[in-house]
Structure formats: C-alpha cells, structure tokens
Amino acid sequence: MFRKNFVEYAILLLFKDRNDHLFSFLIFSFIVFILSSVLFISDSLQYDLIQSINAQPSIVVENTRAGRAYQMHEGHVYDASQITGVSSVEGVVDGYHYFAQKRLWFHIIGDASLAKDEMVIGQGVQKAMAELYYEDEFHFLTEERLIKVKINKIAPKGTNILSNDAIFLNPNTARAVLGMEMDEYSKLYVSVPNPNEVGNVALKIVEIYPSAKATTQEDAMSAVRHVYYYKGGIFMILYVIALVSFFILLKNQISLVYGEKKKEIAILRSLGFCIKDIIALKFIQNTVVSVSAYLLGVALAYLYVFVFNAPYLRNIFLGNELENSISLTPVVDINLLFLIFLFGVIPFLAFVILPAWKIAISDMSEAVKS
C-alpha cells in the first residue's frame, strides 16, 4: 500500500498545482451532475407511474370509435363479467374538462364515496383555481349549464404525480361535467385473480368487442418504460453534450501530462523515483480529483432534483403547467450511479496514468535539459 509520507507528498503536489486540476474538476462535476439529474428525474417519474399501475386492476378496457375513446354501458359490464376467470368488473367515469380561463385540462375521475356536491382536487388544480379565487367551490361550465361543486379536500402531496391535475367527483356529477348519460362509463376495470389468465381474458374481451382496447398491467408498464425510453432519446442531446465535455476533459488531462509535467516527471526520476512511484503519484492525485468531482456532481444533482424540484430540466419530461408543479419522489438507482462512476472515473484515470507511464519509461535526459 501507499506510504503515508508518499500520499501526503502527492496531496501537497495536487494543491500546489490546483489551478491545473481545477478545469478538470469542474468539467467532470458538470458531466456527473447532468447525467445524475436526468437519471434521478426519469427514475422518480417511472417509480410513481409504476406504483399507480400496480394499484390498478388486472385489465383496463376502453371502447373506441374512429380511433377515439367512446362511452361504454352496462352491456359491456355484463359481457365482461361472464368471461371465465373474471372475478369482478367495475364501470368507471373518467375524462377531461377544459378550464378555459387558465387554458388547462383537469382530469375528472369518478369516486362513489363523494357526495354529489363535493369534490377532492389535486395540488396543481388547487393552485390553478386559487389564482382565480375559486377557494371554496368551483363552477364547471358545460354546454348545458353551470355546475357548482364544493371543494371538500386537497389530495395529499405525496400522490401528486397521480392526482396533481385530478378532480375527484361523484360519478353522476362527473357524468354531468363530462356530458355523459347516466348509464354510461368511460372505461371498465376488470379483476382477474389468476395472473396467468390475464392475457387470455384480455384477448376474449377484444374478441367480443373488436373496437375495445384491453390494456393489462404488463402492457401499461411497458408503455411507461417506452415513454421514458423515448424521453431518454430526447436526452441524448444532453448525453452528447456530456460526452463532448468528457473528451475535452480527457484532452486536458493528457495535455497536463505532456506539458510542463513532463519535466516534473523527469526531475522526479532523477531524484530516485521509480516508474511505479510516478504512476502511483499520478494515480493518487487524479483519484482525489475524479472521486471528489463525482461525489460533488451526484450531491448537487440530488439537491437540484429532490430539494429544488429540478427547475427547467423537468419541463422536458413533463407536459403541461399542472404536471410541472408536482414534487419528485426521491428514488436513487445505485446501479446506474455505479455505472456513471465506472465509465467516468476509470477513463479519467486511464488518460492520465498511461501517458505518465509512457513518459516515465522514456529517456529523461532530454526532458531535464529542456
């Protein structure tokens, strides 16, 4: 292992040449910060969405006409409940109401536990309504009439990615707001106790109603991962920027070795330092720089995403103004952070140690004379 005096000497040299290493430290911290922030946001949103899918029934059935969602009725509920393997079928009311004054869409969800004249709203909805002084009740403007509903409760902040733009209403009130008939549903929740039968039940539903779309939990999770894979594709721009920055960083590291440091290596060799000592010296110095930059980048990314809620960057992931007001759930994927460490710190060290080794084994007389 390294001797204590040797390590202290390496650290002293590092502080003496701190201006030479400052550029590398800042660039490496920036690269880790960008990559870690993207991963934190993506993982947080995926985690919340997958948790919501896990809370849903086995299959969600939606009717379509001309490619658009179309209402369902009691006949759909009865037919689906007769399929072997199905334990229950629930018709639900679900749709969107346009809030023209703020140019926002509210997600209307039927909730049978609520009275007809009360509703529960998400944090984002509450904020949008409060800006127009709707604090105790809200007026839904439909094609036929004005519907006044009392604001009974604000949804907990911990569920805001799911409820942020949502308004929970009694199903009959929700139908009136959405312009649906009293016996109509937006979708069906189909429960299948045996996970092995879910796929077959979904196929049978589509066979009965070819225009229906039966989405299993597995399909929904795949869709979420696909969406964030696509968003990750957009973030390839950031990755490319990070990659270019990384190559600039590596070029700077090589120039540090081949510049004035070449003479320094020659002097150390003339003082009795062997090749192994030269490599160890560079290893210690650049390990301190790269690891401290990595830790700083990850720490700043965590604060930026989960404390300051990732201003600007989250807009790329989320769509509208309501969604942008959510709080991100702290989720940290240790494996991905380790990959960033592995593919960041190791090349960083390699691009210093290899040139240093090449110089150390060369003829030092010319370097000393220069």
Side-chain angles (χ1 to χ4, degrees), residues 22-149:
L22 184 61
F23 176 78
S24 302
F25 178 81
L26 293 176
I27 291 292
F28 196 37
S29 299
F30 173 75
I31 294 168
V32 174
F33 169 76
I34 291 293
L35 293 177
S36 301
S37 297
V38 171
L39 292 174
F40 285 156
I41 296 172
S42 175
D43 289 347
S44 174
L45 295 176
Q46 282 193 67
Y47 173 81
D48 284 343
L49 289 173
I50 288 175
Q51 290 300 311
S52 73
I53 292 169
N54 284 330
Q56 288 182 0
S58 311
I59 303 171
V60 176
V61 183
E62 296 175 274
N63 197 16
T64 62
R65 179 173 289 181
R68 295 180 178 275
Y70 196 73
Q71 287 79 13
M72 309 184 83
H73 49 73
E74 288 292 343
H76 291 88
V77 176
Y78 176 78
D79 291 339
S81 65
Q82 297 306 303
I83 297 173
T84 303
V86 174
S87 62
S88 66
V89 180
E90 179 188 3
V92 298
V93 180
D94 187 296
Y96 285 86
H97 174 76
Y98 186 58
F99 184 29
Q101 292 163 287
K102 293 287 292 180
R103 297 184 179 180
L104 297 173
W105 288 93
F106 292 152
H107 187 190
I108 305 297
I109 301 173
D111 185 344
S113 66
L114 295 171
K116 289 184 178 180
D117 62 344
E118 66 178 17
M119 63 181 179
V120 176
I121 60 177
Q123 302 268 341
V125 175
Q126 189 265 339
K127 182 180 176 183
M129 289 182 175
E131 289 177 2
L132 294 177
Y133 306 104
Y134 292 110
E135 295 181 350
D136 298 321
E137 64 178 19
F138 183 72
H139 302 165
F140 290 96
L141 181 60
T142 69
E143 293 180 354
E144 299 175 351
R145 59 195 171 108
L146 196 67
I147 302 173
K148 295 182 182 180
V149 183

Side-chain angles (χ1 to χ4, degrees), residues 76 120 220 246 283 287:
H76 291 88
V120 176
F246 191 59
F283 177 79
T287 297

Side-chain angles (χ1 to χ4, degrees), residues 151-265:
I151 299 172
N152 185 43
K153 187 179 175 184
I154 311 298
K157 194 172 183 179
T159 62
N160 57 9
I161 192 172
L162 312 176
S163 64
N164 189 61
D165 65 342
I167 297 178
F168 299 89
L169 289 165
N170 178 276
N172 288 336
T173 309
R175 288 188 179 95
V177 170
L178 297 173
M180 298 169 61
E181 301 295 333
M182 285 299 115
D183 60 345
E184 290 180 337
Y185 301 107
S186 306
K187 59 180 73 172
L188 304 182
Y189 285 169
V190 180
S191 297
V192 181
N194 186 350
N196 296 326
E197 295 180 348
V198 171
N200 289 332
V201 171
L203 287 175
K204 287 178 182 176
I205 291 172
V206 175
E207 286 175 1
I208 297 171
Y209 295 104
S211 61
K213 179 182 176 185
T215 306
T216 64
Q217 281 188 339
E218 187 177 350
D219 293 336
M221 287 185 186
S222 299
V224 167
R225 293 193 177 101
H226 176 73
V227 166
Y228 282 94
Y229 180 79
Y230 170 69
K231 294 289 186 181
I234 293 175
F235 269 86
M236 282 303 291
I237 297 171
L238 289 176
Y239 293 141
V240 169
I241 293 172
L243 197 62
V244 171
S245 304
F246 191 59
F247 280 115
I248 294 172
L249 171 65
L250 295 180
K251 183 177 179 299
N252 180 67
Q253 291 304 103
I254 293 172
S255 66
L256 278 179
V257 177
Y258 277 106
E260 290 294 322
K261 300 303 172 189
K262 185 175 180 180
K263 188 174 181 180
E264 180 184 298
I265 291 173

